[in-house]
Amino acid sequence: MANQSEIGLRPATLWRNAVLGHPWAVLLATVLLVAIAASGLQHLRFITDYRAFFSPENPQLLEFELLQDTYTRQDNILFVFELEDGSVFEAETLDLIERYTEAAWQLPFTSRVDSITNYQHTYAEEDDLVVLPLVEDALNLEEKEIARIRDIATSEPLLRNRLVSPDGTVSGINLTLLIPADDQSATPRAVAAAREFAERIEGERPDIRVHLTGVVMINNQFLETSQSDAVTLIPAMLIIVILMMAVILRDPVGVIATVLVIALSTAGAFGVAGWIGIDLTPPSVDSSIVILTVGVADCVHILVQHYIGLQRGMDRDTAMRRSLGINFAPVSLTSITTIIGFLSMNLSEVPPFRDLGNIVAIGVCFAYLLSLSFLPALIRVLPASKARNRRVESGLMERLANFVIARRRVLLPFCLLVAVALTAGNMQNHVNDQYSKYFDESVEFRVATDFADRNLAGLYNIQYSLESGVEGGVSDPQYLATVEAFANWLRAQPEVRHVQSYTDIMKRLNRNMHGDDPEWYRLPDQRDLAAQYLLLYELSLPFGLDLTNTVNMDKSATRMVVSTPTLGTPDMLSLQRRARDWLQQNAPPSMLQEGSSPSLMFTHIGRRSMISSIKSATVALVLISLVLVFALASLRVGLLSLVPNLLPIAAGFGAWGLTVSTVGMSLSLVAGMTIGIVVDDTVHFLSKYRKARELDGASPEDAVRYAFRTVGMALVTTTVVLIAGFLVLATSEFKINGDMGKLTAATLLIALLADFFLLPPLLMLFDRVRGRKAAARATTT
């Protein structure tokens, strides 16, 4: 074993001789390498489109894009008017909506504007069909006319619960926008203009609050949340790291060197991301926080051992050589396992999560290289710190080791029992994603969306392109009857708030063409008659308010939009499944489809992400197990080390189930990611334990004391920094990042406790049993 160990140290010896023998050359080479990598920062761009969360082959995205290509796109901004008092149906308020509806056409990228005032109301005048805006010259309307408008608006299926609330207290102006896909500044410009527009309205009418929601607003919120995190969370994390390192290390030189390592690692990682074409999204932007926290660990282990050498009277060069010799193997091993964990995220269904994993993996590579080269070289050339009382061998660790050794027979079953109890909490977890609630309740977009959801048709919907199978088939009476039956079935469902159906237009036109007789408010029973109604109506519509958002070009299909309140994953999937079953049982095959919308896309991606997370965690587990078995040169020790690594993840998710229970897309990556991180502490503890056992011949108890004494404080330091980093991430306004930060922080805390209170009793039990078996074999022989 000694010879093998000496051979294993040769790479470390060669490395430390090169680094400490030529520190200035090492500093120049590493800085130049980072500078070349960081030059890729110029190629980074931020994607302001929710579609970035879906891979190009995502089936829900493909179906939705096909629907968007068939009809006009539904990217929108909805202005929702909240009145302090009174009704929308007052002359002054109708006038305001009328004027600003007309003015909204001038906003950037606007292709359509809909409100109750420009709604194209139809009525019969002798044998003619009259198509006019519902409200014209509102200030001169008499009370009787306003009452008529109120009755029409609050009963018309295309307006009620869509652009006006049933009680007439809330209304909206909906803008449909054509945002250029290749112009990343278009969305912020459109939102800025919309906000200025809303301020103009509120300035004119202080009693009206204007809420802004819609697809374009959520796209922009992704950008603004990322910018907010970059401005607040990253500096906050950097300050925390500096303060904690200053308190723990009490060495300005070590703190400066560590900060430079993580700063260069972050710059290098994002630079490489720019070179290889990774686009930034809210999850991938916050990878900088993860790099800041993960990158500290290697530096701490090297510095702590360096300080231990100084305390023992070694000179700076000898102390650093000793530290590099001790840490080269474990730092290399922990970096490999961490990289494997983050690279396993490439199996995720969500591209931004893949990007997060890849950026962090690149950052860990830089941190590994810089901590073993740039850090010791910088310590070598900088003036020695005059800090006093810098003691890292804590008596607390000695006392903790004695406590664990003395109570190992109690701690082992107790820790396993607690872990099993927490793991049982996983039964309470259930998948439930609500993409409108990805943002904190303090975010204005969330406030606006929740208000719209309570009063009008909000963000959640399912859209269907109902095919007739033949050109002009939308006028076929049988087709119309089936669409009407589907719309009526949907309206009867408890989850549905509003259904926008082409058949409502045809029923209204049929009534109009029969002298507005209510008895004729039904579908026309002749195909040629329905076709004539459609043609006459289309010819009467003004520019921009045509039926291209409802009927396709060859009149073979119509779009139905089914709006719901904010639904969780089970309810949304249940409604989709029941609707599909209805179509399968009652409609021709041409109409059978799943439905599509951003709501459904996010609903499905949450469920599928959890499935892919199991795959990624399994792959990470298998690869990390192989690495540990090979590196530790022992199948039994390698497998034994997995116990304190897997239990924290299972217990962490279990604790989440007992306290929160809702699992979404945000938590799907935690398992694979944390496997790579929690292994780090176990590897460092095991390496010190095995050194004491195999090289120094120590007993299991003395080996545990040695491990606690030499690496205990370093493990506490790195874990505290990691937890602090992920808790900073937990304060993000973006719920995906916030939940990930909370669960990861909890898992890391459980992992540290497992390494201190579960792993040592396991090691001592394992070695005692192995020793007794060896003794028994020797006696038999």
Side-chain angles (χ1 to χ4, degrees):
M1 290 300 299
N3 291 335
Q4 291 179 359
S5 300
E6 290 173 5
I7 293 174
L9 288 177
R10 285 178 184 173
T13 303
L14 295 173
W15 183 270
R16 67 190 181 189
N17 288 340
V19 170
L20 298 178
H22 310 280
W24 286 108
V26 169
L27 291 174
L28 179 62
T30 52
V31 170
L32 181 60
L33 173 64
V34 172
I36 294 173
S39 63
L41 291 169
Q42 61 184 315
H43 301 296
L44 288 175
R45 63 171 188 163
F46 194 94
I47 300 298
T48 58
D49 192 333
Y50 67 86
R51 293 172 180 82
F53 283 83
F54 305 91
S55 59
E57 65 275 8
N58 182 280
Q60 284 76 37
L61 175 62
L62 291 173
E63 191 164 350
F64 184 63
E65 288 296 335
L66 178 61
L67 185 141
Q68 292 280 72
D69 292 338
T70 303
Y71 307 92
T72 55
R73 302 185 74 84
Q74 292 288 293
D75 293 346
N76 74 309
I77 296 179
L78 177 63
F79 294 78
V80 185
F81 296 86
E82 178 185 4
L83 279 68
E84 289 184 1
D85 192 22
S87 168
V88 170
F89 298 102
E90 297 174 355
E92 293 79 6
T93 304
L94 288 174
D95 173 66
L96 179 135
I97 296 175
E98 181 184 11
R99 288 186 288 108
Y100 280 98
T101 296
E102 185 63 29
W105 287 96
Q106 305 304 315
L107 292 176
F109 313 111
T110 298
S111 64
R112 184 185 179 105
V113 181
D114 290 286
S115 74
I116 58 172
T117 61
N118 77 343
Y119 166 70
Q120 298 303 295
H121 177 58
T122 59
Y123 61 93
E125 195 170 89
E126 295 182 354
D127 293 332
D128 295 329
L129 176 68
V130 179
V131 182
L132 289 174
L134 180 59
V135 178
E136 289 185 295
D137 196 15
L139 284 178
N140 293 319
L141 293 175
E142 296 180 356
E143 284 297 323
K144 184 170 66 173
E145 293 174 305
I146 292 177
R148 182 184 67 87
I149 290 170
R150 179 177 56 246
D151 291 343
I152 293 172
T154 56
S155 60
E156 170 55 48
L158 295 180
L159 294 178
R160 179 185 172 93
N161 281 326
R162 177 170 170 255
L163 291 175
V164 65
S165 61
D167 61 3
T169 60
V170 177
S171 187
I173 299 176
N174 187 66
L175 272 63
T176 302
L177 294 88
L178 294 177
I179 302 292
D182 56 349
D183 186 354
Q184 295 304 314
S185 67
T187 294
R189 294 207 315 271
V191 170
R195 285 171 174 166
E196 183 181 351
F197 193 74
E199 289 173 2
R200 284 167 52 193
I201 298 173
E202 292 176 338
E204 180 178 336
R205 287 284 299 273
D207 62 318
I208 294 178
R209 183 179 180 186
V210 182
H211 299 276
L212 297 179
T213 185
V215 172
V216 176
M217 295 303 299
I218 196 172
N219 284 341
N220 186 73
Q221 193 58 53
F222 286 138
L223 171 63
E224 292 187 343
T225 299
S226 297
Q227 291 174 336
S228 175
D229 284 359
V231 171
T232 58
L233 302 189
I234 296 174
M237 185 56 222
L238 190 57
I239 292 172
I240 288 174
V241 167
I242 293 173
L243 291 177
M244 294 181 66
M245 296 291 289
V247 170
I248 295 171
L249 299 181
R250 283 172 283 179
D251 177 18
V253 173
V255 173
I256 292 171
T258 302
V259 170
L260 287 175
V261 166
I262 58 180
L264 292 173
S265 299
T266 304
F270 278 90
V272 172
W275 282 119
I276 63 179
I278 292 179
D279 294 323
L280 296 183
T281 54
S284 59
V285 164
D286 285 341
S287 58
S288 56
I289 298 175
V290 182
I291 296 173
L292 281 174
T293 56
V294 174
V296 168
D298 294 343
C299 297
V300 168
H301 284 288
I302 292 172
L303 288 173
V304 164
Q305 289 299 326
H306 173 67
Y307 297 149
I308 290 176
L310 294 177
Q311 289 171 203
R312 293 177 178 176
M314 300 177 187
D315 59 66
R316 295 174 68 204
D317 185 73
T318 303
M320 183 55 72
R321 287 179 180 274
R322 172 184 175 277
S323 178
L324 288 176
I326 291 175
N327 285 294
F328 186 88
V331 165
S332 300
L333 183 56
T334 56
S335 296
I336 292 172
T337 57
T338 302
I339 290 169
I340 290 174
F342 281 100
L343 287 180
S344 72
M345 292 164 60
N346 279 282
L347 297 176
S348 171
E349 287 281 341
V350 186
F353 291 166
R354 302 176 202 164
D355 296 338
L356 169 66
N358 290 329
I359 293 174
V360 174
I362 296 168
V364 172
C365 288
F366 274 104
Y368 167 67
L369 174 64
L370 294 173
S371 63
L372 290 177
S373 57
F374 179 87
L375 176 73
L378 189 61
I379 296 293
R380 179 74 174 79
V381 301
L382 286 178
S385 171
K386 295 182 180 179
R388 298 181 181 275
N389 300 321
R390 187 179 55 219
R391 184 169 183 81
V392 293
E393 287 185 289
S394 173
L396 175 63
M397 289 295 106
E398 192 79 34
R399 292 193 296 273
L400 182 59
N402 290 331
F403 171 82
V404 171
I405 293 169
R407 291 167 175 78
R408 61 184 181 274
R409 292 183 177 85
V410 176
L411 284 174
L412 182 58
F414 176 77
C415 289
L416 291 174
L417 183 63
V418 170
V420 170
L422 286 176
T423 300
N426 280 283
M427 301 296 293
Q428 302 299 318
N429 282 321
H430 61 279
V431 178
N432 190 18
D433 250 338
Q434 296 175 310
Y435 79 107
S436 64
K437 296 184 178 180
Y438 281 171
F439 305 96
D440 187 77
E441 293 180 356
S442 63
V443 176
E444 180 57 34
F445 166 78
R446 170 71 183 278
V447 174
T449 301
D450 287 349
F451 180 80
D453 183 66
R454 291 192 300 269
N455 295 278
L456 300 174
L459 282 175
Y460 275 63
N461 62 61
I462 304 176
Q463 301 180 31
Y464 295 90
S465 179
L466 300 173
E467 294 282 346
S468 67
V470 295
E471 184 176 349
V474 299
S475 298
D476 180 78
Q478 183 60 47
Y479 170 84
L480 291 172
T482 304
V483 173
E484 175 71 356
F486 186 42
N488 290 335
W489 178 85
L490 286 165
R491 289 178 176 126
Q493 304 310 303
E495 303 95 336
V496 174
R497 176 170 293 166
H498 180 265
V499 177
Q500 181 181 338
S501 173
Y502 169 68
T503 56
D504 294 322
I505 298 175
M506 294 308 298
K507 289 189 295 182
R508 175 160 48 88
L509 292 176
N510 193 41
R511 180 185 63 190
N512 297 149
M513 300 309 293
H514 288 84
D516 283 331
D517 184 349
E519 291 296 324
W520 286 92
Y521 187 70
R522 59 178 185 262
L523 294 170
D525 55 7
Q526 298 179 37
R527 179 169 182 156
D528 57 346
L529 200 60
Q532 290 176 24
Y533 291 169
L534 176 58
L535 176 61
L536 184 60
Y537 182 58
E538 284 190 307
L539 291 175
S540 304
L541 291 174
F543 177 77
L545 294 176
D546 53 35
L547 290 181
T548 54
N549 66 336
T550 303
V551 183
N552 68 348
M553 292 298 294
D554 66 357
K555 306 296 188 292
S556 64
T558 64
R559 169 156 58 186
M560 180 181 290
V561 181
V562 183
S563 298
T564 73
T566 299
L567 295 180
T569 297
D571 291 334
M572 196 70 172
L573 292 177
S574 174
L575 177 60
Q576 183 194 27
R577 183 180 62 255
R578 300 198 314 270
R580 181 195 60 216
D581 292 343
W582 190 97
L583 288 172
Q584 190 171 25
Q585 296 169 13
N586 300 279
S590 61
M591 286 191 185
L592 182 61
Q593 60 164 288
E594 297 288 333
S596 60
S597 70
S599 313
L600 275 177
M601 289 158 59
F602 278 102
T603 297
H604 281 276
I605 199 67
R607 182 174 57 87
R608 292 167 60 187
S609 291
M610 292 306 301
I611 297 174
S612 66
S613 73
I614 297 174
K615 297 178 182 178
S616 63
T618 303
V619 170
L621 174 63
V622 171
L623 292 177
I624 289 174
S625 301
L626 292 175
V627 169
L628 290 178
V629 168
F630 175 78
L632 298 174
S634 170
L635 176 61
R636 287 181 295 180
V637 174
L639 295 177
L640 183 68
S641 68
L642 294 178
V643 175
N645 294 330
L646 291 180
L647 281 182
I649 298 171
F653 271 93
W656 187 270
L658 294 173
T659 56
V660 181
S661 77
T662 299
V663 176
M665 181 171 61
S666 55
L667 302 185
S668 63
L669 52 84
V670 171
M673 181 177 70
T674 51
I675 284 178
I677 298 177
V678 300
V679 167
D680 293 1
D681 288 353
T682 306
V683 167
H684 280 286
F685 194 97
L686 274 173
S687 67
K688 303 303 183 291
Y689 178 86
R690 295 193 70 216
K691 175 184 180 299
R693 286 283 289 149
E694 298 179 10
L695 297 183
D696 302 335
S699 66
E701 291 79 4
D702 286 341
V704 167
R705 292 188 181 94
Y706 176 80
F708 268 102
R709 185 170 62 250
T710 55
V711 82
M713 283 306 299
L715 296 185
V716 171
T717 301
T718 56
T719 302
V720 169
V721 172
L722 283 166
I723 291 174
F726 282 102
L727 286 180
V728 168
L729 187 61
T731 65
S732 172
E733 294 177 341
F734 190 52
K735 186 176 183 293
I736 286 180
N737 293 340
D739 285 353
M740 180 183 69
K742 294 172 188 175
L743 181 54
T744 304
T747 302
L748 293 174
L749 175 59
I750 296 173
L752 178 66
L753 295 176
D755 283 326
F756 278 179
F757 298 108
L758 176 61
L759 180 60
L762 274 176
L763 290 173
M764 287 184 282
L765 176 64
F766 173 76
D767 276 356
R768 288 296 183 193
V769 170
R770 188 174 62 170
R772 285 196 294 269
K773 288 182 178 179
R777 285 195 299 269
T779 302
T780 303
T781 302

